[in-house]
Amino acid sequence: MSHNTFGHLFRVTTWGESHGPAIGCVVDGCPPGLALSEADIQPFLDRRKPGTSSFTTQRKEPDAVRILSGVFEGKTTGTPVSLLIENTDQRSRDYGDIAQTYRPGHADLTYDLKYGIRDYRGGGRSSARETAMRVAAGAVARRILGEQVRIRAALIQLGPHKIDRSGWDWSEVNNNPFFSPDASVVPAWEEYLTTIRKNGLSAGAVIEVVAENVPAGLGAPIYGKLDSDLAAAFMSINAVKGVEIGDGFASAALTGVENADPLFMRDGQIAFGANHAGGILGGISTGQPVVARFAVKPTSSMLTPVPSVTSDGVEKEVITKGRHDPCVGIRAVPVGEAMMACVLADHLLRHRGQTGR
Amino acid sequence: MSHNTFGHLFRVTTWGESHGPAIGCVVDGCPPGLALSEADIQPFLDRRKPGTSSFTTQRKEPDAVRILSGVFEGKTTGTPVSLLIENTDQRSRDYGDIAQTYRPGHADLTYDLKYGIRDYRGGGRSSARETAMRVAAGAVARRILGEQVRIRAALIQLGPHKIDRSGWDWSEVNNNPFFSPDASVVPAWEEYLTTIRKNGLSAGAVIEVVAENVPAGLGAPIYGKLDSDLAAAFMSINAVKGVEIGDGFASAALTGVENADPLFMRDGQIAFGANHAGGILGGISTGQPVVARFAVKPTSSMLTPVPSVTSDGVEKEVITKGRHDPCVGIRAVPVGEAMMACVLADHLLRHRGQTGR
Amino acid sequence: MSHNTFGHLFRVTTWGESHGPAIGCVVDGCPPGLALSEADIQPFLDRRKPGTSSFTTQRKEPDAVRILSGVFEGKTTGTPVSLLIENTDQRSRDYGDIAQTYRPGHADLTYDLKYGIRDYRGGGRSSARETAMRVAAGAVARRILGEQVRIRAALIQLGPHKIDRSGWDWSEVNNNPFFSPDASVVPAWEEYLTTIRKNGLSAGAVIEVVAENVPAGLGAPIYGKLDSDLAAAFMSINAVKGVEIGDGFASAALTGVENADPLFMRDGQIAFGANHAGGILGGISTGQPVVARFAVKPTSSMLTPVPSVTSDGVEKEVITKGRHDPCVGIRAVPVGEAMMACVLADHLLRHRGQTGR
Amino acid sequence: MSHNTFGHLFRVTTWGESHGPAIGCVVDGCPPGLALSEADIQPFLDRRKPGTSSFTTQRKEPDAVRILSGVFEGKTTGTPVSLLIENTDQRSRDYGDIAQTYRPGHADLTYDLKYGIRDYRGGGRSSARETAMRVAAGAVARRILGEQVRIRAALIQLGPHKIDRSGWDWSEVNNNPFFSPDASVVPAWEEYLTTIRKNGLSAGAVIEVVAENVPAGLGAPIYGKLDSDLAAAFMSINAVKGVEIGDGFASAALTGVENADPLFMRDGQIAFGANHAGGILGGISTGQPVVARFAVKPTSSMLTPVPSVTSDGVEKEVITKGRHDPCVGIRAVPVGEAMMACVLADHLLRHRGQTGR
């Protein structure tokens, strides 16, 4: 990963600011001959689109994607696929406060410290709007992985409230505005987030991403391990502060026997007695489901005032008016799926390149 | 990160297997004119060296490092620094069990699945012995960072037992065989790990790494974020299953106000009221201490039998005799420091390249 | 260089096909705070623009560039600069011939061999139209290099007709449709190329690129040598078949004494008695002018029939109707300048990153 | 290509100085399961070895290569192959002259300008001794390409004397100390180079490299074109000043019809009427022989005095005593083969990765 590009053979470069004329990405290294149209990408963007419930920002963006290159007569040609989304709802308003005063916990400060200049309109490049392009690229990655690889994500914790994992039902995920796989937690989440929103606060979340039917052998040790690349991919998402694979931090408390995933033979195939490893051993996929989680902190854009300073070095409380998600973790669910898809697609090509399989 | 190389301007390539003639690394992109000798590197290797207490493997390796290139008359020349450590204690013994039977939870299986061949002697390339070269490279990285950047790590959890953070004392870290910053927890850890070892089990751990006086502005958003690269770096260490920055997973339960690090002016400088962010915002260092944690699972090499299969597809319980660490997390402490140093050094050069500062 | 991206710290990714809706590029790693607007880029594109004389293709493209990101209030922000040019003159016509039959000497054949699919409209991705984006990126690179670094190119051979080097006058370059620095050769070139065009043929050319006031020290041996990166950059331009630095192939016939550039002291500075080396020694710039040449073959798109085969394996003569340059080398002059600028800018940042100078 | 590493999936990192304890390389990304031993590599090194005739340096280096990793039970494992050659004949002598005074035309000067420090012993890192590791890596690359891909090189010009191409006979190449494919030119070359050597001069040369039976489809346009990567690879060899593919610079003088390689059908396969293109179109291999040439300048290490300056800024004539090749181009012949092999191997893996073929 480097600058604004990630991936090695399947490479994604994103560009664009929250309130510029457009955002976009270039997906390079895509195999030729894959069926691809805007209609294959748009549904994934629609899941991440703002303004779909009272629990996400009210900014109205159709997020209509255009394919500008790399596809001919409905098929990828092997050349770069350029994707573009126009920004249509850059509300003309006063950014004065944010322009001069840093939101504590926000990249406002560090972009200035690093570059000595920043596009303060809506967070500029540091805006989560950038993640739309990851979702678009993820849709292309899914074409490479094929239909048998199934990638799904869900919200498993909202603020301090966790789901009941015994009630996990993937079919519930799209039935509520939180992408919860557990229907029973939804009322509590609604109440919690409504309170957060009314009080001008924001909330964190934890997302779990699961990829099933991933071929064994993906991952390039030592420094291109599958879990290492996934960790980088998820940590690069706005507001993410932690990443786990399989049992993650909980595995530190286990003994080796408790943590081992025993091996058996079933119908001539290796089978596993558990999946503490989250489908990855030694940085290489085992063939079991790849399981990852990442934690999203509460956004720093809130209506509640926080002590801060201006770029001129004057202390001043700051409030973020604008339109913001009370919990940016919710819309990170499709982003997590997309990053999983991109990393897996890259490793599929890399593995094929090195081993011919 | 790609294959066996990591870093962009400060690049480290490692090679070697646990029981081959030697292990080594090439450190490329090092600035010229830095004082460097074996004596600058060896102390860091000695901290990671096996056989220093009853709580680490009894393999005896002096781990004496040699500089083979890139240094002239005591100074780096800007050309690649090649470092080499000979393997001296490759005990001649029967690897039969491990050669044919996979350790559940170990890379044994996945190397075979990926490559169709593996060097089973001591884990081959997947052995944690590789991390010695990270430590050596980290010593070079520290030269780039200079004396004012202080990087330290400590074990903060062993098995289920966490330290008491109120008793944190950095000066204690080298006073006990666990790198604990809290002296009060040491007796409990000794007892716990002795029991684990006697029962032929293994234990996990959590390591915390702190870098102080890191210049603000390091990190290259969006896909070269400092935290993203740190996540990849730590996750690439053997047996690591989770990485956190700052408050990490705990931040998901906080509100935006609780999680915000308020800003003040102190002596004409921006000061922070807290460091929930772990010194990184928007993927860029703030100037506050960079704080990261990673979880290490219990090793799969144990004397306790676990159900497994052979490479021929026969079910068979497996025991790992050999010499192994009951808790690989302990020796991961200096490795964590080294990876922090390498990532920071790389970003220091990258930041200087782009901005001239 | 990899796929559709080149550069290490200053990175350019291009995308787009000759007859798609648009072409574009993403310029990543640009230092912050540089003044940049469309008006800084357009003049360079206008020099490369088709349809400016009877000696270039009659396709009418305004090649109006738009900056979509990375610039705020007239200055670069350090984030990716996305540039886009719409294709406006994709003439609706029958590509039937070229769609089915390969032009001998053209990428038609190899794109099909590699990808099994190709966008045959105007050459698709293999069209020299892609070089417009190199020119745009080169304009950004010039901002990094600053005004003191002067990069100029000229046509020094058209078909078999070379310029008289003793008549070299940079101010003549923009006074004739060939970018010739020697006014005396222009009538002969006009006559030659008119005959070529009337006979439905095409002609080759040689371009010389000179960069003055390049700081000493640029280039990263061994595999990021300045001349090595320049060779790759020029060879990647459409139809280029050879690259030279300094005396190039002629140096093979010299003795060491004839080829040496003697060193003297002049006003306390090192001065050179000659510049056989073309400003590069050991892959590093000396401070002398960097001098490179590249040869462009005659294009394979001609009105003269050539024996060929169809994609169905049937022998069939092929003629390229459409609108084509009789000598693609002419418009390669600004492209050569742009590639020089991009490579130098990248190495300026890389050198600064490693050495701090 | 970047720093001291080249290649994308098949990656070679070299390290070491002329007079350090050893030189070496790390070959990463090698497919698993290939038979490989020192005996597969040594013969190629022996061809490049110094001291084999009066026309090469009299330094005596056995150049015995050792494989330190990545091979288990005679087969590659997919992990990094570390190769090492000890320097044994670092003659203890006075480098005083070269240490303080720059050889005009040598990297002496530029290494100092770039790094402010240099290992002057034998040229340090800029020594052609580094190319031994390219030859070693090339031997590994040949394993990937398989026996059907035949890569051969020859010297086609020594000083001003070109071979008679009508007398080309590959079997002659190893029958003379110049790697000439034309036996008839050998006496003239012997006389010429003897005179050069006796007069304390040095001579340039041109090398041609031909790869036969290269699969069609290799090369990754636009910036990973096969010819672009070859140009970088050859230009990175010490003292190289020019690179050509196919007809190269001569193609600039041809018309499009003369330069076209007509296509025919032969036995159901596409056949070519000529190979002006040197086996590459649009940056992608055609299946025809890949033909490249590169020019090597006369070395700057001579017994003839040349005006120069010291590092203290004093004018002083310089003579290079030491042991040097009168024509470094001769030993560049096996180096050229090796670079061709490495580039092709990398593109074979890349092509397979992207397309699955």
Side-chain angles (χ1 to χ4, degrees):
Chain A
M1 287 197 166
S2 133
H3 294 315
N4 294 279
T5 300
F6 70 98
H8 198 76
L9 284 191
F10 179 80
R11 294 158 68 90
V12 178
T13 301
T14 74
W15 56 267
E17 279 80 39
S18 175
H19 285 59
I23 56 174
C25 71
V26 183
V27 180
D28 200 5
C30 193
L34 302 173
L36 186 71
S37 73
E38 278 92 350
D40 295 312
I41 303 172
Q42 197 61 49
F44 295 98
L45 287 165
D46 291 346
R47 287 185 78 212
R48 197 211 72 100
K49 199 166 60 174
T52 55
S53 83
S54 64
F55 302 111
T56 58
T57 174
Q58 295 308 299
R59 179 170 171 171
K60 299 292 183 199
E61 285 290 357
D63 279 358
V65 70
R66 288 180 62 203
I67 299 176
L68 296 182
S69 70
V71 175
F72 183 61
E73 297 180 345
K75 296 208 168 154
T76 59
T77 60
T79 63
V81 178
S82 175
L83 303 173
L84 185 138
I85 293 175
E86 286 184 44
N87 290 329
T88 60
D89 188 19
Q90 312 113 294
R91 191 186 287 183
S92 174
R93 63 191 174 81
D94 180 18
Y95 284 98
D97 249 37
I98 304 307
Q100 306 302 329
T101 313
Y102 303 120
R103 281 166 283 185
H106 194 276
D108 286 344
L109 172 65
T110 49
Y111 270 65
D112 251 7
L113 289 172
K114 182 178 187 71
Y115 298 119
I117 182 177
R118 72 185 161 100
D119 178 350
Y120 51 75
R121 300 167 304 161
R125 180 69 180 150
S126 73
S127 166
R129 181 145 182 73
E130 185 266 351
T131 59
M133 299 323 303
R134 307 181 185 219
V135 171
V140 181
R142 285 174 191 261
R143 280 293 185 201
I144 297 171
L145 295 168
E147 305 240 326
Q148 73 276 22
V149 177
R150 186 156 59 169
I151 299 171
R152 295 182 291 191
L155 206 73
I156 62 168
Q157 181 181 334
L158 180 67
H161 304 289
K162 300 185 182 182
I163 62 161
D164 173 2
R165 295 185 73 92
S166 72
W168 193 296
D169 179 355
W170 280 112
S171 66
E172 285 297 329
V173 166
N174 290 325
N175 288 342
N176 61 78
F178 305 105
F179 299 115
S180 169
D182 166 27
S184 72
V185 83
V186 171
W189 284 7
E190 282 177 347
E191 187 183 333
Y192 174 75
L193 202 54
T194 301
T195 306
I196 284 284
R197 189 165 53 84
K198 289 191 176 161
N199 290 340
L201 290 167
S202 61
V206 178
I207 289 92
E208 183 163 319
V209 189
V210 180
E212 292 167 286
N213 302 320
V214 175
L218 304 195
I222 302 294
Y223 299 110
K225 285 179 172 177
L226 185 57
D227 38 4
S228 182
D229 280 358
L230 286 174
F234 293 133
M235 195 66 95
S236 76
I237 300 172
N238 306 53
V240 171
K241 301 302 283 186
V243 179
E244 294 185 322
I245 305 294
D247 280 11
F249 277 87
S251 66
L254 303 179
T255 66
V257 165
E258 290 164 336
N259 185 66
D261 301 323
L263 301 175
F264 306 98
M265 296 305 298
R266 287 291 174 274
D267 305 324
Q269 300 291 316
I270 293 176
F272 297 81
N275 189 15
H276 296 286
I280 302 174
L281 291 173
I284 303 170
S285 63
T286 62
Q288 283 200 289
V290 174
V291 181
R293 271 176 302 285
F294 58 91
V296 179
K297 71 174 184 183
T299 176
S300 48
S301 300
M302 301 172 295
L303 282 167
T304 308
V306 188
S308 187
V309 300
T310 68
S311 51
D312 298 331
V314 176
E315 295 191 347
K316 183 184 174 188
E317 288 205 328
V318 68
I319 294 176
T320 313
K321 288 170 188 164
R323 298 160 299 179
H324 296 284
D325 290 275
C327 176
V328 290
I330 297 172
R331 288 168 58 211
V333 170
V335 180
E337 291 181 0
M339 295 308 281
M340 174 69 84
C342 289
V343 170
L344 290 177
D346 185 38
H347 276 285
L348 192 80
L349 303 187
R350 291 167 70 172
H351 178 66
R352 184 162 76 184
Q354 186 180 15
T355 69
R357 284 179 281 184
Chain B
M1 288 195 163
S2 134
H3 292 315
N4 295 278
T5 299
F6 71 98
H8 198 74
L9 285 191
F10 179 80
R11 293 158 67 91
V12 178
T13 301
T14 74
W15 56 267
E17 279 81 38
S18 174
H19 286 60
I23 57 175
C25 70
V26 183
V27 179
D28 201 3
C30 194
L34 302 173
L36 187 71
S37 73
E38 279 93 349
D40 295 314
I41 303 171
Q42 197 62 49
F44 295 98
L45 286 165
D46 290 347
R47 288 184 80 212
R48 199 212 70 103
K49 199 166 62 176
T52 54
S53 84
S54 64
F55 301 112
T56 58
T57 172
Q58 295 308 299
R59 179 169 171 172
K60 299 291 183 200
E61 285 289 357
D63 278 359
V65 69
R66 289 179 64 203
I67 298 175
L68 295 182
S69 70
V71 175
F72 182 61
E73 297 180 345
K75 295 209 169 154
T76 58
T77 60
T79 64
V81 178
S82 174
L83 302 173
L84 185 138
I85 293 174
E86 287 184 44
N87 290 329
T88 60
D89 187 20
Q90 313 112 294
R91 189 185 289 183
S92 175
R93 61 192 176 78
D94 180 17
Y95 284 98
D97 249 36
I98 304 305
Q100 305 303 329
T101 313
Y102 303 121
R103 281 167 282 186
H106 194 276
D108 287 345
L109 171 65
T110 49
Y111 271 65
D112 251 7
L113 288 172
K114 181 177 188 69
Y115 298 119
I117 182 176
R118 71 183 163 102
D119 177 351
Y120 50 76
R121 300 166 304 159
R125 180 69 182 152
S126 73
S127 167
R129 182 145 182 71
E130 186 266 350
T131 60
M133 299 324 302
R134 306 180 185 219
V135 171
V140 181
R142 285 174 191 262
R143 282 292 186 202
I144 297 170
L145 295 170
E147 305 241 325
Q148 72 276 22
V149 177
R150 186 154 61 168
I151 299 170
R152 295 182 292 193
L155 207 73
I156 61 168
Q157 181 181 334
L158 181 67
H161 304 289
K162 300 184 182 184
I163 63 161
D164 173 2
R165 294 185 73 92
S166 71
W168 192 298
D169 179 355
W170 278 113
S171 67
E172 284 296 328
V173 166
N174 289 324
N175 289 341
N176 62 77
F178 304 106
F179 300 113
S180 170
D182 167 26
S184 72
V185 82
V186 172
W189 284 7
E190 282 178 346
E191 187 183 333
Y192 174 74
L193 201 56
T194 301
T195 306
I196 285 284
R197 189 166 53 83
K198 288 192 176 159
N199 290 341
L201 289 167
S202 60
V206 177
I207 289 90
E208 184 163 318
V209 189
V210 180
E212 291 167 286
N213 302 320
V214 174
L218 305 194
I222 302 294
Y223 300 109
K225 285 180 173 174
L226 185 57
D227 40 3
S228 182
D229 279 358
L230 286 173
F234 293 133
M235 194 66 94
S236 75
I237 300 172
N238 307 52
V240 172
K241 302 301 283 185
V243 179
E244 290 186 323
I245 305 294
D247 280 10
F249 278 87
S251 66
L254 303 179
T255 67
V257 166
E258 292 164 335
N259 185 67
D261 300 322
L263 301 176
F264 306 98
M265 296 306 298
R266 288 291 176 273
D267 306 324
Q269 300 291 316
I270 293 175
F272 297 82
N275 190 14
H276 296 286
I280 303 173
L281 291 174
I284 303 171
S285 62
T286 62
Q288 284 202 287
V290 174
V291 180
R293 273 176 302 284
F294 58 92
V296 179
K297 70 175 186 182
T299 177
S300 48
S301 299
M302 302 171 295
L303 283 166
T304 309
V306 188
S308 187
V309 301
T310 68
S311 50
D312 297 331
V314 176
E315 296 191 345
K316 184 184 173 187
E317 287 204 330
V318 67
I319 294 177
T320 313
K321 287 169 189 162
R323 297 160 298 179
H324 296 284
D325 290 275
C327 176
V328 291
I330 297 172
R331 288 168 59 211
V333 170
V335 180
E337 290 181 359
M339 295 308 280
M340 174 69 83
C342 290
V343 170
L344 290 177
D346 185 38
H347 276 285
L348 192 79
L349 303 186
R350 291 167 70 172
H351 179 67
R352 184 163 74 184
Q354 187 181 13
T355 69
R357 285 178 284 182
Chain C
M1 287 196 164
S2 135
H3 293 316
N4 293 280
T5 299
F6 70 98
H8 198 75
L9 284 191
F10 179 79
R11 293 156 69 90
V12 178
T13 302
T14 73
W15 56 267
E17 278 82 39
S18 175
H19 285 59
I23 57 175
C25 70
V26 184
V27 180
D28 201 4
C30 194
L34 303 173
L36 187 70
S37 72
E38 278 93 349
D40 295 312
I41 303 171
Q42 197 62 48
F44 296 98
L45 286 165
D46 290 346
R47 288 185 78 212
R48 197 212 72 100
K49 200 166 60 175
T52 54
S53 84
S54 65
F55 301 111
T56 58
T57 172
Q58 295 310 298
R59 178 170 172 171
K60 298 292 183 199
E61 286 287 358
D63 278 358
V65 69
R66 288 179 63 202
I67 299 176
L68 296 182
S69 69
V71 175
F72 182 61
E73 297 180 344
K75 294 209 169 155
T76 59
T77 60
T79 63
V81 178
S82 176
L83 303 173
L84 185 136
I85 293 174
E86 286 184 45
N87 289 328
T88 59
D89 187 19
Q90 312 112 295
R91 189 186 289 182
S92 174
R93 61 191 176 78
D94 180 19
Y95 285 97
D97 249 37
I98 304 306
Q100 306 301 331
T101 313
Y102 303 120
R103 281 166 283 185
H106 194 277
D108 287 345
L109 172 65
T110 49
Y111 271 65
D112 250 7
L113 288 172
K114 181 176 188 70
Y115 299 119
I117 181 177
R118 72 185 161 100
D119 178 350
Y120 50 75
R121 300 166 305 161
R125 180 69 182 152
S126 73
S127 166
R129 183 146 181 70
E130 185 268 347
T131 61
M133 298 324 302
R134 307 180 186 222
V135 172
V140 181
R142 285 174 191 260
R143 281 292 186 200
I144 297 171
L145 295 169
E147 305 241 327
Q148 74 276 22
V149 177
R150 186 154 61 169
I151 299 170
R152 295 181 292 193
L155 207 73
I156 62 168
Q157 181 181 334
L158 180 67
H161 304 290
K162 301 185 183 183
I163 63 161
D164 173 2
R165 295 186 72 92
S166 71
W168 193 298
D169 179 356
W170 279 113
S171 65
E172 284 297 328
V173 167
N174 290 323
N175 289 340
N176 62 79
F178 306 105
F179 300 112
S180 171
D182 166 27
S184 73
V185 83
V186 172
W189 285 7
E190 282 177 345
E191 186 183 336
Y192 175 74
L193 201 55
T194 302
T195 305
I196 284 284
R197 188 165 54 83
K198 290 192 174 160
N199 290 341
L201 289 168
S202 61
V206 178
I207 289 93
E208 183 163 319
V209 189
V210 180
E212 292 167 285
N213 302 318
V214 174
L218 305 195
I222 305 293
Y223 299 110
K225 285 180 173 174
L226 185 57
D227 40 2
S228 183
D229 280 359
L230 285 173
F234 293 132
M235 195 66 93
S236 75
I237 300 171
N238 307 51
V240 172
K241 301 303 283 186
V243 178
E244 293 185 321
I245 305 293
D247 280 11
F249 278 88
S251 66
L254 303 178
T255 66
V257 166
E258 292 163 334
N259 186 66
D261 301 322
L263 301 175
F264 306 98
M265 296 305 299
R266 287 294 174 270
D267 305 324
Q269 299 291 317
I270 293 176
F272 297 83
N275 189 15
H276 297 286
I280 303 174
L281 290 174
I284 303 171
S285 62
T286 62
Q288 284 202 288
V290 174
V291 181
R293 272 176 301 285
F294 58 91
V296 179
K297 70 175 185 182
T299 178
S300 47
S301 300
M302 301 172 295
L303 283 167
T304 309
V306 189
S308 187
V309 301
T310 67
S311 50
D312 298 331
V314 177
E315 296 191 346
K316 181 183 175 189
E317 288 206 329
V318 68
I319 294 176
T320 313
K321 288 171 188 164
R323 298 160 298 178
H324 296 284
D325 289 276
C327 175
V328 289
I330 297 171
R331 287 169 59 213
V333 170
V335 180
E337 291 182 359
M339 296 309 281
M340 175 68 84
C342 289
V343 170
L344 290 177
D346 185 37
H347 276 286
L348 192 79
L349 303 187
R350 291 167 71 171
H351 179 65
R352 183 163 75 183
Q354 185 179 15
T355 69
R357 284 180 284 183
Chain D
M1 286 198 164
S2 134
H3 294 314
N4 294 279
T5 299
F6 70 98
H8 198 75
L9 284 191
F10 179 80
R11 291 158 69 90
V12 179
T13 302
T14 74
W15 55 267
E17 278 81 40
S18 175
H19 284 59
I23 57 174
C25 70
V26 183
V27 180
D28 201 3
C30 194
L34 302 173
L36 187 71
S37 72
E38 278 93 349
D40 296 313
I41 303 171
Q42 198 61 49
F44 295 98
L45 286 164
D46 291 346
R47 288 185 79 213
R48 197 211 72 101
K49 199 166 61 175
T52 54
S53 85
S54 64
F55 301 111
T56 59
T57 174
Q58 295 307 299
R59 178 170 172 170
K60 297 293 183 198
E61 286 289 356
D63 278 359
V65 70
R66 288 179 63 202
I67 299 176
L68 295 183
S69 70
V71 175
F72 182 61
E73 297 181 345
K75 296 209 170 155
T76 58
T77 60
T79 64
V81 178
S82 175
L83 302 173
L84 186 138
I85 293 175
E86 287 184 45
N87 289 329
T88 60
D89 188 19
Q90 312 112 295
R91 190 185 288 183
S92 173
R93 63 195 175 77
D94 181 19
Y95 283 99
D97 250 36
I98 304 306
Q100 305 303 330
T101 313
Y102 303 121
R103 284 165 280 186
H106 195 275
D108 287 344
L109 173 65
T110 48
Y111 271 65
D112 251 7
L113 289 172
K114 181 177 188 70
Y115 299 119
I117 182 176
R118 70 184 162 101
D119 178 350
Y120 50 75
R121 300 166 303 160
R125 180 68 180 151
S126 73
S127 167
R129 182 143 182 72
E130 185 266 350
T131 60
M133 299 324 302
R134 306 180 185 220
V135 172
V140 181
R142 285 175 191 261
R143 281 294 186 200
I144 297 170
L145 294 169
E147 306 241 324
Q148 73 277 22
V149 177
R150 185 154 62 168
I151 298 170
R152 296 181 292 192
L155 208 72
I156 63 168
Q157 181 181 336
L158 180 67
H161 303 290
K162 302 184 182 183
I163 62 162
D164 174 1
R165 294 186 72 93
S166 72
W168 193 296
D169 179 355
W170 279 113
S171 66
E172 284 298 328
V173 167
N174 290 324
N175 288 343
N176 61 79
F178 305 105
F179 300 113
S180 170
D182 166 27
S184 72
V185 84
V186 172
W189 284 6
E190 283 177 345
E191 187 183 333
Y192 174 74
L193 201 55
T194 301
T195 305
I196 285 284
R197 188 165 53 84
K198 289 193 174 159
N199 290 341
L201 288 167
S202 62
V206 178
I207 289 92
E208 183 163 319
V209 190
V210 181
E212 292 167 286
N213 302 320
V214 174
L218 305 195
I222 302 292
Y223 299 110
K225 284 179 173 175
L226 184 57
D227 39 4
S228 183
D229 280 357
L230 285 173
F234 294 134
M235 194 66 93
S236 76
I237 300 172
N238 306 52
V240 171
K241 301 302 283 185
V243 179
E244 292 185 322
I245 305 294
D247 279 12
F249 278 86
S251 66
L254 303 180
T255 66
V257 165
E258 291 164 335
N259 186 66
D261 301 320
L263 300 175
F264 305 98
M265 295 306 298
R266 287 293 175 274
D267 305 324
Q269 299 291 317
I270 292 174
F272 296 81
N275 189 15
H276 296 286
I280 303 175
L281 290 173
I284 303 170
S285 63
T286 63
Q288 283 202 288
V290 174
V291 180
R293 272 176 302 284
F294 57 92
V296 179
K297 71 175 183 181
T299 177
S300 48
S301 301
M302 301 171 296
L303 283 167
T304 308
V306 187
S308 186
V309 300
T310 67
S311 50
D312 298 331
V314 177
E315 296 192 346
K316 184 183 173 189
E317 288 207 327
V318 68
I319 295 176
T320 313
K321 288 170 187 163
R323 298 160 297 181
H324 296 284
D325 290 275
C327 176
V328 291
I330 298 172
R331 288 168 59 211
V333 170
V335 180
E337 291 181 358
M339 294 310 280
M340 175 69 85
C342 289
V343 171
L344 291 176
D346 185 38
H347 276 285
L348 193 79
L349 303 187
R350 291 167 71 172
H351 179 66
R352 183 163 74 184
Q354 186 180 14
T355 68
R357 281 179 282 183

